[in-house]
Amino acid sequence: MPHATTAPAPRPRPRWWTELPLLALVYAAYSGGRLLVRGDVSTAVDHGLRILNLEQTLRINFEHPLNRLLTAHSWIGIPADFAYASLHYLITPAVLIWMFRRHSQAYRRARTWLMTSTMLGLIGFTLMPTCPPRLLAAGHGFVDTMAQYSSHGWWGTEASAPRGMGGMTNQYAAMPSLHVGWALWCGILIWRHGRHPLVRAAGIAYPLITVFVVMGTANHYFLDAVAGAAVMGFGALLARPVTRLANKVADAAKARFVRVSPATDSPDVSAGCKTSAGERIPGQRTSSADPTDAAAPAGPPAPADVPAPAGSAAGRAAGGDTAAAAR
């Protein structure tokens, strides 16, 4: 007979007081890692020029016309700069909180997907520091819209960092574009778990708008955006095994550091002795131990000298015994 398989017990619902420090730790590691892997400027410029030359060869350098559009029309360029400087700081945490509160069953994997992809992006920054289009020489045809419209926002001339804090960011962490990667993560979750058609449409629009913004502001090449989407794809594939590994580590930590009180066994009243049915303690019989005794009618015993009837079995046995004694 095959043994029945037991479904694994569901993981407990995540708690915000454990999730918040975890997310803060990962983001701090990501931000610190970006600063530590700045790389050589000349190497970053070489990488940027190689990407641009490849795009021109393949005729996919879409960032050129978009950058000219935002440079010529401030009513498009200024909102695009605001979007680049702020939306990934607002929408990404908002979607994470929404998943935590409204879709807790899918939250853990979504969070692992985001963190895994972010760490993969950090590896990309380390292996390939890349100069964004806006920092190339003017002869390459790009205008830094963040610098052009800096008087309209809080940012200065150094990326989207607030004025005076340009040293706190790595301007050569362009490949892959995690602006696009995080927007794609948000869009997929909004489209998958949103119920209203307008909400699902926003899930489709947000990544597309982000691609337009990062190229139009000359912060990323088109291939940076493609790499950002690829990183999120790899992160999605790794989310399940990473989740299983994290669960194993957490279970091992609990088994090692959390003391479990031993179960209290019930006392053995028989002290190892075998008891018969109806006996609680050896040699001690309960009132219901022998049901035939309780059912027997109470009354005086039959006289011993009363002979049994001759036709009965007892009479025949008695007659046989008398004859045997006479012989």
Side-chain angles (χ1 to χ4, degrees):
M1 179 178 179
H3 295 286
T5 57
T6 304
R11 308 294 301 184
R13 179 189 174 100
R15 304 297 182 181
W16 69 266
W17 57 82
T18 59
E19 290 296 308
L20 193 59
L22 175 63
L23 294 172
L25 179 62
V26 171
Y27 185 75
Y30 162 73
S31 300
R34 278 172 55 107
L35 295 177
L36 293 176
V37 298
R38 295 192 183 199
D40 182 70
V41 174
S42 61
T43 302
V45 172
D46 289 341
H47 289 160
L49 291 176
R50 288 177 185 176
I51 293 174
L52 181 60
N53 291 334
L54 177 60
E55 289 185 354
Q56 290 173 342
T57 301
L58 298 176
R59 299 182 182 276
I60 57 173
N61 55 322
F62 307 119
E63 57 270 14
H64 266 120
L66 293 178
N67 183 241
R68 288 193 293 267
L69 176 67
L70 269 61
T71 302
H73 301 282
S74 60
W75 64 274
I76 303 177
I78 294 175
D81 285 341
F82 272 99
Y84 181 83
S86 60
L87 286 188
H88 66 292
Y89 290 121
L90 300 176
I91 295 183
T92 307
V95 172
L96 200 61
I97 295 172
W98 173 62
M99 292 295 297
F100 178 82
R101 294 181 60 87
R102 302 294 298 272
H103 305 281
S104 59
Q105 296 300 321
Y107 165 79
R108 195 187 301 273
R109 187 176 179 185
R111 176 256 286 159
T112 305
W113 175 19
L114 178 64
M115 293 192 303
T116 303
S117 302
T118 300
M119 292 298 104
L120 291 177
L122 183 59
I123 295 174
F125 302 153
T126 306
L127 298 178
M128 192 172 177
T130 303
C131 178
R134 63 185 180 81
L135 294 182
L136 293 176
H140 295 287
F142 292 104
V143 175
D144 186 353
T145 63
M146 304 294 292
Q148 180 182 356
Y149 301 122
S150 61
S151 60
H152 297 273
W154 61 84
W155 57 85
T157 59
E158 297 177 305
S160 59
R163 292 184 181 88
M165 299 182 64
M168 299 297 294
T169 185
N170 180 4
Q171 299 191 76
Y172 300 102
M175 170 63 80
S177 171
L178 286 187
H179 271 76
V180 173
W182 291 344
L184 183 61
W185 176 86
C186 293
I188 291 174
L189 293 177
I190 292 172
W191 182 85
R192 180 181 297 173
H193 298 285
R195 297 179 180 177
H196 196 279
L198 291 179
V199 175
R200 302 187 72 185
I204 298 174
Y206 178 51
L208 298 177
I209 293 173
T210 303
V211 172
F212 169 84
V213 166
V214 299
M215 290 194 298
T217 57
N219 278 284
H220 290 281
Y221 305 94
F222 174 70
L223 289 180
D224 293 346
V226 173
V231 162
M232 297 310 294
F234 282 116
L237 294 176
L238 293 175
R240 189 182 297 274
V242 169
T243 300
R244 287 198 296 262
L245 177 61
N247 290 339
K248 289 181 180 179
V249 172
D251 293 340
K254 289 180 182 179
R256 183 177 181 85
F257 297 108
V258 178
R259 297 182 61 184
V260 181
S261 58
T264 304
D265 296 329
S266 57
D268 187 4
V269 298
S270 65
C273 300
K274 293 183 178 180
T275 59
S276 61
E279 288 182 342
R280 296 181 180 176
I281 300 177
Q284 192 176 43
R285 196 176 288 271
T286 62
S287 60
S288 60
D290 191 354
T292 57
D293 293 344
D305 54 352
V306 177
S312 66
R316 290 194 299 271
D321 293 341
T322 305
R327 289 195 300 268

